[in-house]
Amino acid sequence: FWLNTDDRDVDRYLKCFTFMPREEIDALARATAERPQDREGQRALARAVTAVVHGDDQVQRAERAAHVLFGGSLEDVAVDDILMVFEDAPSTELTLPGEGMAVADLLTATRLAASKSEAVRLLKGGGVYVNNARVADEKARLVAADAIGGELFVLRKGKKDQHIVRVRR
């Protein structure tokens, strides 16, 4: 929520919801005006409010969650953190055959695509991501070793349609 705060509201929210000194808030307001793409004010706001509400130890966890949500690499993210971030996302549990499963078949199995032909079109168009990495090869296959922690895949169609696939052993 705080990361998505409009640039015009950051200064006011920092004053209302944090205990930051006025000079620091002014510096963040200038940074936001000069380099809005960096979202320094929003990041400081999110850190400060999260620390007050949930404690300092949860700030890092929330930052990792934001990293996951906004398309960062999932290589070093713990399975529990991914599950926390996507707890409301639809999920499917399945056993992958030894030779793996075609990504197109996985898209239809999870209903991210209505048909295999739609899945192939999505793949060719570059609109499919597995663990936040774009998959454009319509013949791509996933094996259990490709799963995060050997346990799950995060599938994404476009920017917003997410689906968690839990791999049964």
Side-chain angles (χ1 to χ4, degrees):
F1 173 81
W2 300 111
L3 289 174
N4 289 322
T5 299
D6 190 283
D7 292 347
R8 296 170 293 189
D9 296 327
V10 172
D11 184 55
R12 182 168 45 98
Y13 287 175
L14 285 166
K15 290 173 188 171
C16 291
F17 299 114
T18 74
F19 298 106
M20 288 182 180
R22 179 73 185 158
E23 303 78 36
E24 192 174 341
I25 292 172
D26 291 343
L28 287 166
R30 281 191 303 278
T32 299
E34 293 168 6
R35 295 177 314 282
Q37 69 278 5
D38 292 346
R39 305 190 70 72
E40 286 181 51
Q42 287 89 338
R43 291 180 198 286
L45 177 63
R47 282 186 198 106
V49 173
T50 301
V52 168
V53 174
H54 299 287
D56 289 329
D57 56 326
Q58 293 299 312
V59 172
Q60 287 183 349
R61 190 167 189 199
E63 286 177 338
R64 284 193 308 271
H67 178 74
V68 168
L69 281 171
F70 296 110
S73 170
L74 300 181
E75 279 183 27
D76 299 324
V77 181
V79 169
D80 288 343
D81 288 342
I82 291 171
L83 292 174
M84 176 202 64
V85 170
F86 294 109
E87 73 181 332
D88 292 332
S91 66
T92 300
E93 191 171 310
L94 55 83
T95 303
L96 290 178
E99 71 278 3
M101 181 180 242
V103 175
D105 291 334
L106 197 54
L107 290 169
T108 57
T110 59
R111 296 196 169 111
L112 281 173
S115 66
K116 189 164 181 175
S117 60
E118 179 187 345
V120 169
R121 277 194 304 278
L122 285 167
L123 285 161
K124 285 182 177 179
V128 175
Y129 298 80
V130 176
N131 300 340
N132 283 351
R134 182 175 297 205
V135 178
D137 179 4
E138 71 271 12
K139 294 179 182 168
R141 297 185 77 75
L142 296 174
V143 295
D146 297 324
I148 298 167
E151 296 181 42
L152 58 92
F153 294 104
V154 177
L155 297 180
R156 187 176 80 210
K157 176 179 86 172
K159 290 187 178 190
K160 300 204 181 224
D161 289 336
Q162 310 270 1
H163 196 99
I164 301 298
V165 176
R166 295 173 190 242
V167 179
R168 274 189 242 131
R169 295 189 177 164

